[in-house]
Amino acid sequence: MKLTPWFSGKEKPVRVGLYQRNVGGFIVYAWWNGHVWSLGDKSKRRALYFKRHGSYRQDLDWRGQAKERRQA
């Protein structure tokens, strides 16, 4: 899986989905619902469980999965 570069927490993702967030050098997964970040967890599965619980930290750096280009 190819990942995007890190983005500043001041920028927000364009697409809804699961992303990695940097919490002081510790990487967690968190759900972006298009408006706010959910609570994060080191497990993708638990991060999805927390989808409905907003995080008090909305300003953490984040990265997502990069689209892979198909070769013809």
Side-chain angles (χ1 to χ4, degrees):
M1 172 173 63
K2 188 173 182 176
L3 298 171
T4 66
W6 285 101
F7 289 91
S8 165
K10 294 178 183 177
E11 298 178 62
K12 301 303 179 200
V14 175
R15 293 177 182 81
V16 169
L18 194 63
Y19 292 85
Q20 289 183 340
R21 298 182 79 200
N22 185 346
V23 183
F26 185 72
I27 307 304
V28 298
Y29 292 95
W31 185 261
W32 170 251
N33 71 7
H35 301 286
V36 296
W37 289 104
S38 70
L39 291 175
D41 193 272
K42 63 181 180 179
S43 159
K44 288 181 184 181
R45 186 176 187 172
R46 286 192 48 87
L48 291 173
Y49 174 79
F50 292 130
K51 277 171 64 169
R52 297 175 190 245
H53 301 280
S55 171
Y56 66 94
R57 292 294 311 267
Q58 297 293 311
D59 61 343
L60 298 172
D61 292 350
W62 60 273
R63 69 180 174 186
Q65 184 175 349
K67 284 190 172 184
E68 295 189 25
R69 296 179 184 229
R70 296 181 186 219
Q71 295 182 358

